[in-house]
Every structure is written in C-alpha cells, then in structure tokens.
Amino acid sequence: MDSLIFLLLLLQLPAVAILFSRLAAGPTRKPPITPQVLLGDRLGTVGVVVPTLNEVHRLSPCLTGLTQQAHEVRSIVVVDSRSEDGTQALVQSFAQRDPRVRLIEDDPLPPDWVGRPWALQNGYQYFAVPTETSEQSQSPTRPSLPPVEWLLGIDADTQPQPGLVAGLLAEAEREGYDLVSLSPRFILKYPGELLLQPALLMTLLYRFGPTGSPSQSAERVMANGQCLLVRRSVLQEMNGYSCARRSFCDDVTLAREVARRGYRVAFWDGSRLLKVRMYDGAAETWREWGRSLDLKDASSWGQTWSDVWLLWMLQGLPLPVLLGSLLISGLGTPLGGVFVGLNALLLLIRVALGWAIAPSYDCHQAQGAWLFWLSPLADPLAALRITLSALHRPTQWRGRVYNMNNDA
C-alpha cells in the first residue's frame, strides 16, 4: 500500500505546485469589467455578429440586450444557417424596431468547415466586403462610411447587459489589446446542473488560472466565444476565421493563433456585463458543454493529456481518497497520513474556489440553489468528462453531422 501511495504522491505533488503557481495570480488579476458609456469618436466602431441555428427560444434576450447598446455599435448582423423554427421571423421583428439589426443567411456549409466558425466567417465577410446589402454601401447622396474597427461575436444564448460593448471596447483600447473575450455570469436553474456545471467550470480554473490573469504563452491562452471582440484588421490578416474552420472550440483556436502572431490577447471577467443560459439540466450540460471543454482542437496531444493528468490529480482524486481513508486501513500509516492530509488540503482549496466563483453564477431562479455548494461532490465526474472528451472528437453538433476523419 505504501508503494502505491508513494507513486500517487509523486504524480500529485507536481500538480499541486502548478496549482499554487496559478492561484498566486488571483490577488493581482484584473477585476470584473464594468458597464460604461462611450461618446464622441467611437460611434459606429463595432460590428456585432450573432451566429444562429434554430435559436428562436433563446435569441430574444440576446437581441434585446444588443439593441440596448449605445451607438458605438454600428450594426447587429444575425448570420442564420437556415433555421426552421421561426428564428428568422424573430430577427425581422427586431429589425423593424432597430435599423441596426440585419439578417443574412450564410452560404452552404463547405465540407471542411464546422458550422459556427463558418457563420462567423460570413459575418466577417459582410463587414469586410462592401456589397449591395452591406451597411457600407451608401446612396450617391451619402458619404461612404469607413469599415468598422472591431468585430464582436456574440452567441445567441447570451444576455448582454447595457453598457457591455462600451465597457469592453474602452478597456480593450485603453490597454492596447487586439482580441478580448469575457467570461459570463451563468444562469442555473435545475438541481443536476447546480452540481455539475460549477465542477466543469472549475476544470478551466485549474488548467488556466483565474480569469483576468495574464497567459504565460500562446499555447495557454483561454478565450470564450460567447463574447469575443477582435480587431477587424487582425481578422483581415488571418483571412477571417479560417484558422478555426474545423475546430469545435473555435474561440480558443482563434485566440491562440492571434497570440502566436504576436498580437495581444486577454480573457477577462465579464460577470457584470453578460449573462448566459447555456444548457437545461445536467444531461445536456454533460453532453454539450463537456464535449468541447478538453480544448483538444486548439491544443497539442501533450497539452491535452497533461491537462487530463492535472485534473485527476487536483480535482478527481481528493474526494475518493478522503472517502477511502475511512475504509482502508493502509492509509493510516505515516505516508498515508501525508497523502490524506494533502488531499484534504486540496478539497479545502476547492471549497474556497467555490466561494471565489460564486459571483459568476445567477441562481435566483434555481430549484435548490444550495446544491451549488455541494458541487465538489461532482468533481470526479468533471475529470471523467474531460477524459472522455479527450478520447473522442465530436462528429455531431447542433443537429449537424460532420466527417472529421480527414484533417485539412
């Protein structure tokens, strides 16, 4: 038994050292971005792109929030992939109330693209190339507008708060960043997701450190495509979103490629600017969010599996060890006591991190909101989910089936 414990300690101690080094950035991380109001020369600076596919039941809060943004937003372009549920009619109803809202359909999906980056690519091309349907095409009596300086990708399940675009734009320009994305405030409702979703979110904190802390290398950059602001000139140099065309984590793939090219990239706390209701219940959270959280499309094989090791050592192992200490007498040796004590410390850190991420959750509508505090019980499941996801590349997403056997 001591030999097994010694081996596990050899595997676990380096992971603990990595965790402490990442958490050390917590006290100096950038605080949450706050809403702002921009005036003057930033009017019409931002073009917003919202990719949609059968989003009629989630899109209304998103468009409501976007139409509440001030006039630094020039256009809100919804790129729809031929929805069949009334999404297009909903967008048209918003367009009648706010002329900035525009609906376009993306071109048929090429075989070497995934749906979301393809929709974003169509949105980029809308703003990049003047056409008869673009807001850049003017009547002979009106002067031509300059191209937008920034593109903001927003997912249909988000709920932008007033002042989102102004606050994000002001901070990005003040600090000289070229791509910035925000972590949202998550809306939870059902008991299963109150247990599972925070545990899955914690996998990102263990791997990348606190939101708002600087990345040490392009390979460790984190991003969130639910709200991602990027300079149009940067996308122009990169041929839009083509670098992420086959990625199921296209946001991270894009951000890491931007960072590799020498541009400044940041991932900030946007809990005061953006809410999101991602999935209904634990089953959908496990299936849909869990399939991309390994980030293997944006990572090397070594990065992916070193992250799996890290998660098992820090998140998957402590609870089973502590439960096992009550049943296995071999853990009562001096070496076993060190092992149990280390895992008790890791569990206490996990509980403290739960308090730290609590402001990133809106549980006002939740059934049994107190279950959030029991989410450490789901930590072994979160580590298992990332492991399973790392073993298999998705072939289906949002009702589309992809042939991912050949790399392109």
Side-chain angles (χ1 to χ4, degrees):
M1 177 62 72
D2 274 359
S3 297
L4 176 60
I5 293 173
F6 182 71
L7 176 61
L8 288 174
L9 279 172
L10 286 180
L11 290 171
Q12 201 170 31
L13 286 172
V16 174
I18 292 172
L19 174 64
F20 285 157
S21 69
R22 290 176 178 167
L23 295 183
T28 59
R29 75 188 187 100
K30 187 177 181 65
I33 309 302
T34 56
Q36 294 190 33
V37 176
L38 287 183
L39 300 173
D41 61 355
R42 309 320 292 149
L43 301 181
T45 301
V46 179
V48 179
V49 179
V50 184
T52 58
L53 174 59
N54 296 326
E55 303 282 5
V56 70
H57 297 298
R58 303 196 293 178
L59 184 59
S60 186
C62 176
L63 291 181
T64 298
L66 288 174
T67 55
Q68 291 173 347
Q69 305 302 309
H71 286 282
E72 62 272 357
V73 173
R74 183 184 300 178
S75 292
I76 303 162
V77 177
V78 178
V79 184
D80 188 63
S81 299
R82 295 163 181 78
S83 295
E84 299 176 349
D85 65 344
T87 294
Q88 294 195 6
L90 177 64
V91 176
Q92 296 288 16
S93 70
F94 274 89
Q96 293 175 1
R97 288 173 269 165
D98 189 327
R100 295 178 298 173
V101 178
R102 301 166 186 271
L103 172 68
I104 66 172
E105 282 192 347
D106 54 10
D107 295 330
L109 183 67
D112 59 339
W113 283 76
V114 173
R116 186 177 182 278
W118 177 243
L120 291 169
Q121 179 74 358
N122 279 260
Y124 157 72
Q125 291 171 342
Y126 174 91
F127 285 105
V129 181
T131 67
E132 291 183 359
T133 59
S134 170
E135 90 290 339
Q136 298 181 40
S137 296
Q138 306 296 317
S139 68
T141 60
R142 294 182 61 189
S144 177
L145 292 174
V148 296
E149 297 179 29
W150 296 84
L151 289 186
L152 176 63
I154 290 283
D155 277 3
D157 56 4
T158 61
Q159 300 177 16
Q161 304 302 297
L164 160 68
V165 178
L168 180 56
L169 178 63
E171 286 296 306
E173 293 192 332
R174 184 177 66 85
E175 299 196 17
Y177 281 93
D178 303 292
L179 183 152
V180 179
S181 61
L182 297 179
S183 65
R185 192 175 188 202
F186 297 96
I187 301 171
L188 301 183
K189 293 185 178 181
Y190 303 120
E193 66 191 69
L194 283 158
L195 287 169
L196 181 60
Q197 205 275 0
L200 288 172
L201 181 67
M202 196 63 64
T203 68
L204 297 174
L205 194 154
Y206 281 125
R207 286 181 283 168
F208 302 105
T211 304
S213 55
S215 300
Q216 299 302 314
S217 65
E219 289 72 23
R220 303 307 298 177
V221 161
M222 184 56 193
N224 178 23
Q226 292 169 326
C227 179
L228 190 149
L229 181 73
V230 58
R231 292 186 191 271
R232 188 188 60 83
S233 59
V234 172
L235 285 177
Q236 185 174 0
E237 179 182 320
M238 300 179 60
N239 190 25
Y241 295 83
S242 59
C243 68
R245 66 187 183 278
R246 290 174 63 83
S247 176
F248 288 99
C249 56
D250 56 276
D251 44 6
V252 179
T253 301
L254 175 71
R256 291 182 178 178
E257 181 60 27
V258 169
R260 276 190 285 267
R261 297 195 185 200
Y263 294 105
R264 298 193 69 201
V265 175
F267 180 47
W268 292 335
D269 185 341
S271 58
R272 298 180 183 177
L273 299 176
L274 187 75
K275 292 184 179 183
V276 61
R277 173 68 181 150
M278 291 174 63
Y279 305 114
D280 285 326
E284 191 175 2
T285 301
W286 173 275
R287 182 178 66 252
E288 298 297 336
W289 200 27
R291 73 172 76 185
S292 61
L293 273 176
D294 62 287
L295 306 181
K296 61 181 173 292
D297 286 352
S299 309
S300 67
W301 181 92
Q303 288 174 318
T304 299
W305 288 101
S306 65
D307 282 350
V308 170
W309 156 75
L310 186 80
L311 291 178
W312 276 110
M313 294 300 100
L314 299 177
Q315 195 173 0
L317 192 58
L319 185 62
V321 167
L322 294 179
L323 293 177
S325 69
L326 302 176
L327 304 173
I328 302 174
S329 59
L331 292 176
T333 66
L335 188 62
V338 172
F339 185 50
V340 171
L342 177 63
N343 283 276
L345 174 63
L346 287 173
L347 189 59
L348 286 175
I349 292 173
R350 169 61 175 89
V351 172
L353 291 175
W355 283 93
I357 68 170
S360 295
Y361 285 91
D362 181 344
C363 300
H364 291 97
Q365 306 173 59
Q367 302 172 9
W370 55 272
L371 289 168
F372 170 87
W373 303 107
L374 298 182
S375 65
L377 297 176
D379 280 1
L381 286 177
L384 175 63
R385 185 63 184 97
I386 302 303
T387 305
L388 294 174
S389 181
L391 288 168
H392 302 285
R393 195 174 189 195
T395 57
Q396 299 184 46
W397 200 279
R398 301 303 303 274
R400 286 171 162 166
V401 179
Y402 298 97
N403 179 7
M404 309 305 289
N405 294 326
N406 299 316
D407 292 331

